[in-house]
Amino acid sequence: MAEWNAYYQNEDEDEEQEEGEQSGDYKVTGRDSLVFLVDASKEMFIKGEDGEPSNFDMTMQVVRSVYTSKIISSHRDLVALVFYGTEQSKNPRNSFKYVYVYHDLDEPGAKRVQEVDALRGEKGARLAAETMGSGETSLGDALWCCANLYSDIKLRLSHKRLMIFTCRDEPHRGDSAKDRQARTKASDLKETGVIIDLMHLMKPGGFDVAPFFRDIVSQPEDESELGLHLEPCDKLEDLQKRVRAKEQKKRAMARLNLCLGEGINVAVGIYATAVTARKPAAIRLYRETNEPVRSKTRTFHMQTGSLLLPSEIKKAQTYGKKQIVMERDEVDSIKKFQDPGLYLIGFKPMEKLKTHHHIRPAVFLYPEEGEVKGSACLFSALLMKCSERNVFALCRCVSRRNYPPRFVALVPQREEVDEGKVQFTPPGFNVIYLPYADDLRTLDPPQCPSASQIQVDKMKEIVSKLRFKYRSEAFENPVIQQHYRNLEALALDMMAPEDTEDLIMPKVDQINHRLGPLAEEFKDLVYPAGYNPESKSVAKRKTAIVGGVAEKKPKAEVPEDELRAHVQNGTLGKLTVPVLKEACKQFGVRTTGTKKQELIDF
Amino acid sequence: CCWDPLVLCMDVGFSMSNSAPGEEPPFELAKKVIQKFVQRQVFAENKDELALVLFGTDSTKNPLDRDGQYQNITVHRHLMIPDFELLEEIENQVHPESQQADWMDALVVCMDLLQTETKGKKFDRLNVALLTDLSTQANQDHLDVIIENLKQAGITLQFFLPFPAEDDEEGGGDSDRRGPGHPGTGKGLSREQKESLDLVKHVMLSLDEEDGLDQVYTFRDAIEQLCMFKRIERRPMAWPCQLTIGSCLSIRIVGYKAVTEERLKKMWVTVDAQSNQKEDVKRETVYCLDDDNETEVKKDDTIQGFRYGSDIVPFSKVDQDQMKYKHDGKCFAVLGFTKQNLVFSWGQHAGVALSALIRALDELQMVAIVRYAYDRRSNPQVGAAFPCVKQDYECLMYVQLPFMEDLRQFTFPSLENNKKLSPSDTQLSAVDSLIDSMMLVQKDDDDADQKDIFKVHHIPNPAFQRHFQCLHHRAVNPGTPLPPMEPWLKAALERPDVISERCQAPLEEIKRKFPLIEVEKKKKLKTSAQIFGKDAEEPDAKKAKGDEEEDYNLADIAEGSVTSVRIRGQLTHRIEQLLSNKNTHYYMKSITCIQAFREQSVKLGNADLYNSYLQSLKRSIPNRRLEVFWDLLVQGMLSRITAGFLSNRPFLERRLHFHIIAAVPSAEDTGDVDDLVCVCDFLAFKYLTDVP
């Protein structure tokens, strides 16, 4: 019966495909793995001036954040934490001295997060000293030990990365035999596909990569990559950024040809740079043992009870009281228009890209020189010219087989690096999905009076008081964070989950404080006296659609001088229609209109 | 409550069948118009009720049939929601007939029908669409009464004629402009038609002084416009809320969803192929333990849990609800303001206070970063509210921003700083002229207005169009294959002709200036069976030469630029292909492939590839009922490992320097697959560490 599973697992193919589209070919290629190889020598524990955290402390914070982010966004990845330069040794066959495998390669879990936490701060330093201590250094042995970790894994690994965290540029203090052994082991590792990165940390006198580590780390992806020219990290934020940039394997969601014309195909990869993290689906556990159960879905005939073969079912939809039936493969074939690929339609100036014409997260395009030689050059030329002339390329895009086409705007993005020479925007095209006619809703925007310059200027003051520099990584999703804190608490038998700070909550007190009297001043300019935008009775009225201005019916006389002041300040708009009508009468203006703007225009 | 009842009123009288040679008679065109229209209504699942009145019929069937009045007019269908039955009736029962009837009488029948059948119901507007060639003389006696009644009942009229209502010849007779599409135009009209046309104009202008004549169409124009299936229309829902800045300043706003990726409402349901009944198909989900017997457990015996990395945490729904993130519900709260640079999908409208905010942001080129929650049940988001200042309205456009958890921070190698890749000046100028030739926006000479010749947001979603085209075809032509795509749809998705023409030369230039060479490596590999296929059944001598060559081939590839991942992809793909045939012959071929795979993995120094594949293969064995194959494999592999090292095959010898015979297990170890895997792993690893 098991084989029925195989037939029906694609029943919800649409959803699954879309998921797949987002997450890349992860399932197909195997697990990613990451080994943190951390120097535990005395130098690592030296605290910075003014009580700045030690390099070791900083590293542990980064390791922790990688652990938790892996749990949330890619829990199938394997992570290990290994210390070298320790006094104690702990490794699988205990064949290496001064190497302490704190965590072998495995999926990170609650316990591991807690164990890394234990190594943080003052207490952490003490714990490290007690359990591991600081001793001699043999990076060769450490690397060899890591190689064993990789080979002990029976799972298929796709991406293998090893990050060395150290502040010592000459770990063996000139012992050339040890240096040589480390180089040999490093090259062994690299031959098996492990990428070795150096996360070098600040030490007095600067960190010189040249004498030793240059031969240890992997060659960067291309010669121009800044890799080793980087300055050593001295800030947690920098280190975090550097680690994050490397920690995830970038995977193309799809590799396609960008076709400019017949026979002109540029190979490109499509990358998802923002994938909405969702609360994961629940899994079913057997009540007795808490072990996960597998679910199997079968399709069978109601009357005969026999299982139905794919050939024994069809698909149907009902319209106008008629059931319309198609074969399964017909349902697929309807969706097919062209083979996968991007096809250039033409170019348009950037201002034609309506900012609100946006239907799903943008993806990113980068050339695949390995598929079609010459792609990078033509791609780069297109990028430079589009950017220079401020145009975007309009393309028809079929992202996978049997997918209907969508039109996309390829918006050029030039490379930008920050002061630390870390790239913060990569070079390539942002792919913006454009809406079809069906995706736009016809809105009937109500006519509203415009604000006067005085009102606008007041608001400008408010805006400048509340300016901040937006960073996308600044906002954690409180729903997901809470969920995982809850799980963490349950997994670790904690009394209560750790508090989560809701980062997308407005800091009301701070805002009020910064605004000071501005809020009242603004309200005086725009709202009629006594108007309360929050009052329920107002909200219930039908005029809610127009928003903003409440319209009170009777009682509508304003002293003439007050009225004149309003005219001078351009704040007539805050008066109500009856008031304005009354005012018009007062000034002997004949009115027929009831629209406010008409009244103001008088 | 919001529906628009409509009467389709079609002339089927004998003059409708008249046509010039080679031209479709007006009857056929008119029939197409109503067919297309009804189709659209059916697929849009429009709830507007629809009636069909025919005039010029041989018989008479209408409530006003009295004293020889209102003759040859038939109410074919009363107000009902349109369905396929109606489409079939139009197809099979609406024929040209041999009488003529007064179209004004027919209009009165329609008005009467609307008034009696909508009595007591709520509606937006009543409509009548008249399709006729206006060949009969109309009785004008009660014209004023009729117009007055139309006005009072709020009935709107549409006319569909074989010829255009307005003669464009006033200026100087360029009737060519209309082209041959409109037969019987202008001078060809009979006296009755001319008189009737004047009458039509009179009626329409009395109903709407300015735009009345816009509601008079030709059959051809109508067919063209109706060829698309109706686009999905949803009324935007108002979302009233407060925009807050701190706790002291709030502005009442209303939100509307302006742009959203629309999907088809209906899903495919599974039906039994024989009976076409969905009730005959039952789906059932069962739960089973992950043991060898796949022991089934009842759903009631399962509880809910979640994964926390490697931990699985039981977490009941009740607990989950109690502990989950809760918030105060609906809000649109400003967190702060920042420089503009992003995109969005929501719209707001408001009064003066909001206007001040919008214009302040616009003038400062800034956006508001806000916390937005639709209601208490939905998850809050962080997003940007952009100012949008249009001539006739102002609004904020909201778009969701990613959370930290959503971001993938990738770095990509620099393009510009790479000398090997950077384009030369002549290459850049070739791209320049390409962009010039392919601009989709054209400047008119006269004014500064730019004309966009390819507006994506005017194109109906082709997936929906195709979907309905096929459904419609299957509904009316059961048993025939699905039709090709409609030509207009195909054309709408292509590069406009003007552009194609203009970009020819610049494209040729690009082709010359930028050599693009497809990297061939993949194709060379053919299939692994062709390369590695050493069929046990075939005499070795016969294949010897071929083997030799192909071994070289593989070796070259493996040593060259091909990554181990690719080799694995090719090989495992082939293995899987072979395994789909449950037959010893194919089993043996798969085993040969697996053997080759192992050798390659060893050679590439990456035992993981092979080991992990073998493990996943093993796991899938029970599901795929490949136990026989697995036994063969285990036996075969062990003997081959032994044989492989001893047989001194030139390939291995030359390429691998492989001499770790000591690690080969004895034949008694057969059966335990994990052992097998371990052995291979060990071999591979030894090799890696020991070769200097």
Side-chain angles (χ1 to χ4, degrees), chain A residues 78-337:
Chain A
L78 307 178
V79 190
L81 177 57
V82 181
F83 295 100
Y84 71 98
T86 54
E87 193 185 353
Q88 308 295 322
S89 320
K90 181 181 168 229
N91 46 73
R93 297 176 256 290
N94 272 326
S95 42
F96 304 106
K97 279 178 106 177
Y98 319 121
V99 182
Y100 196 101
V101 177
Y102 197 71
H103 289 150
D104 57 4
L105 266 178
D106 204 347
E107 297 168 2
K111 195 155 162 280
R112 287 192 166 198
V113 173
Q114 216 178 26
E115 283 162 357
V116 172
D117 267 340
L119 292 175
R120 284 166 58 184
E122 203 79 34
K123 258 189 179 166
R126 271 201 303 279
L127 179 69
E130 279 163 27
T131 52
M132 305 182 293
S134 298
E136 281 180 52
T137 299
S138 168
L139 195 61
D141 280 347
L143 290 169
W144 196 342
C145 177
C146 293
N148 284 349
L149 293 183
Y150 282 117
S151 61
D152 285 348
I153 292 297
K154 297 289 181 286
L155 298 161
R156 197 187 333 172
L157 296 178
S158 56
H159 184 61
K160 292 188 277 192
R161 202 174 264 278
L162 185 146
M163 291 182 183
I164 302 174
F165 292 78
T166 182
C167 58
R168 295 185 297 159
D169 49 8
E170 287 183 280
H172 306 121
R173 303 217 177 89
D175 180 336
S176 58
K178 276 186 169 176
D179 278 359
R180 202 174 331 113
Q181 191 222 8
R183 284 194 198 106
T184 313
K185 291 301 160 196
S187 76
D188 283 350
L189 268 171
K190 283 183 272 186
E191 263 179 53
T192 62
V194 177
I195 297 164
I196 303 178
D197 289 316
L198 178 64
M199 296 294 155
H200 49 317
L201 306 159
M202 199 48 117
K203 69 159 178 99
F207 194 109
D208 189 0
V209 174
F212 177 70
F213 277 103
R214 179 178 293 280
D215 299 328
I216 298 290
V217 299
S218 299
Q219 288 301 309
E221 282 177 82
D222 70 333
E223 297 126 69
S224 70
E225 204 189 23
L226 303 156
L228 287 182
H229 310 304
L230 289 173
E231 296 297 309
C233 280
D234 59 348
K235 277 201 233 80
L236 177 66
E237 202 180 296
D238 286 352
L239 185 63
Q240 208 125 29
K241 225 193 276 178
R242 241 179 251 194
V243 171
R244 271 197 78 116
K246 300 256 177 193
E247 161 248 310
Q248 287 160 329
K249 163 87 180 137
K250 55 170 189 268
R251 282 206 173 80
M253 280 156 46
R255 288 195 175 78
L256 300 171
N257 277 337
L258 165 60
C259 178
L260 306 188
E262 217 193 306
I264 313 176
N265 291 313
V266 179
V268 291
I270 294 186
Y271 298 84
T273 45
V275 182
T276 313
R278 293 205 173 84
K279 219 156 61 175
I283 44 179
R284 310 260 13 134
L285 309 175
Y286 184 44
R287 192 187 290 280
E288 305 293 315
T289 56
N290 280 353
E291 64 179 309
V293 296
R294 289 198 301 134
S295 71
K296 289 195 290 191
T297 303
R298 306 162 180 153
T299 307
F300 56 87
H301 196 279
M302 219 22 196
Q303 263 89 57
T304 65
S306 64
L307 288 173
L308 287 165
L309 285 166
S311 61
E312 289 168 330
I313 58 170
K314 288 184 179 173
K315 295 290 183 178
Q317 293 198 345
T318 304
Y319 277 98
K321 293 189 229 155
K322 192 181 182 94
Q323 188 187 43
I324 305 166
V325 180
M326 289 199 193
E327 305 284 344
R328 286 160 56 95
D329 59 337
E330 284 178 326
V331 172
D332 287 335
S333 74
I334 289 174
K335 290 188 220 144
K336 181 176 167 134
F337 282 69

Side-chain angles (χ1 to χ4, degrees), chain B residues 360-616:
Chain B
L361 291 175
D362 190 50
E363 286 172 29
L364 293 167
Q365 296 260 298
M366 294 187 64
V367 298
I369 300 297
V370 298
R371 170 196 176 94
Y372 156 68
Y374 183 78
D375 62 18
R376 192 179 284 276
R377 286 160 305 167
S378 55
N379 293 334
Q381 308 176 348
V382 62
F386 288 73
C388 172
V389 179
K390 286 276 161 70
Q391 199 146 36
D392 45 353
Y393 65 96
E394 296 165 347
C395 65
L396 284 175
M397 293 285 193
Y398 170 85
V399 64
Q400 187 179 2
L401 294 170
F403 282 114
M404 184 271 273
E405 294 88 342
D406 308 335
L407 293 171
R408 302 267 184 275
Q409 276 160 339
F410 297 145
T411 51
F412 289 86
S414 178
L415 289 171
E416 280 175 58
N417 298 330
N418 189 330
K419 294 232 166 51
K420 274 194 287 184
L421 301 177
S422 49
S424 67
D425 286 347
T426 55
Q427 283 177 320
L428 284 174
S429 73
V431 172
D432 244 338
S433 20
L434 181 74
I435 294 177
D436 284 334
S437 73
M438 293 186 80
M439 282 311 284
L440 295 164
V441 170
Q442 289 161 341
K443 273 207 182 81
D444 276 351
D445 291 339
D446 332 337
D447 55 329
D449 252 13
Q450 294 188 324
K451 207 176 126 215
D452 191 338
I453 59 171
F454 199 93
K455 284 188 176 155
V456 175
H457 62 280
H458 287 184
I459 302 176
N461 189 334
F464 301 169
Q465 295 293 323
R466 175 78 178 139
H467 180 82
F468 290 131
Q469 183 208 358
C470 291
L471 281 177
H472 176 251
H473 176 93
R474 177 55 44 88
V476 293
N477 311 290
T480 60
L482 297 177
M485 207 176 306
E486 297 245 32
W488 71 264
L489 182 59
K490 227 173 176 166
L493 303 175
E494 287 301 324
R495 194 181 276 174
D497 287 340
V498 260
I499 301 290
S500 298
E501 237 163 74
R502 259 189 347 221
C503 71
Q504 272 314 313
L507 274 177
E508 285 304 318
E509 190 62 14
I510 294 273
K511 214 170 186 172
R512 270 194 299 277
K513 292 274 159 60
F514 291 93
L516 290 166
I517 302 144
E518 201 169 329
V519 180
E520 287 272 357
K521 61 200 177 187
K522 277 201 262 178
K523 305 233 159 95
K524 239 183 162 174
L525 252 176
K526 292 188 266 174
T527 64
S528 47
Q530 284 170 296
I531 297 170
F532 312 117
K534 305 176 191 62
D535 291 339
E537 294 91 333
E538 286 190 59
D540 275 356
K542 208 172 106 187
K543 287 209 73 193
K545 200 168 169 255
D547 277 356
E548 189 82 10
E549 273 173 19
E550 282 169 353
D551 272 349
Y552 274 117
N553 195 356
L554 169 68
D556 289 343
I557 294 162
E559 199 161 306
S561 54
V562 176
T563 62
S564 47
V565 176
R566 188 154 279 138
I567 295 256
R568 184 194 58 212
Q570 296 276 334
L571 282 167
T572 54
H573 177 67
R574 184 61 186 161
I575 293 166
E576 294 301 321
Q577 255 184 345
L578 290 168
L579 283 181
S580 58
N581 302 294
K582 293 205 174 41
N583 165 318
T584 316
H585 176 71
Y586 287 101
Y587 287 165
M588 294 315 286
K589 282 192 175 184
S590 320
I591 291 171
T592 320
C593 280
I594 291 172
Q595 167 74 7
F597 186 10
R598 195 191 76 91
E599 286 169 11
Q600 279 309 301
S601 302
V602 170
K603 174 165 184 309
L604 289 165
N606 194 341
D608 297 343
L609 296 179
Y610 171 75
N611 290 341
S612 58
Y613 173 69
L614 220 58
Q615 287 205 329
S616 73

Side-chain angles (χ1 to χ4, degrees), chain A residues 580 584 589 591-602:
Chain A
L580 285 171
C584 288
V589 185
T591 59
T592 47
T594 47
K595 285 206 183 120
K596 183 174 232 175
Q597 196 57 51
E598 290 170 28
L599 297 174
I600 294 171
D601 288 343
F602 285 114

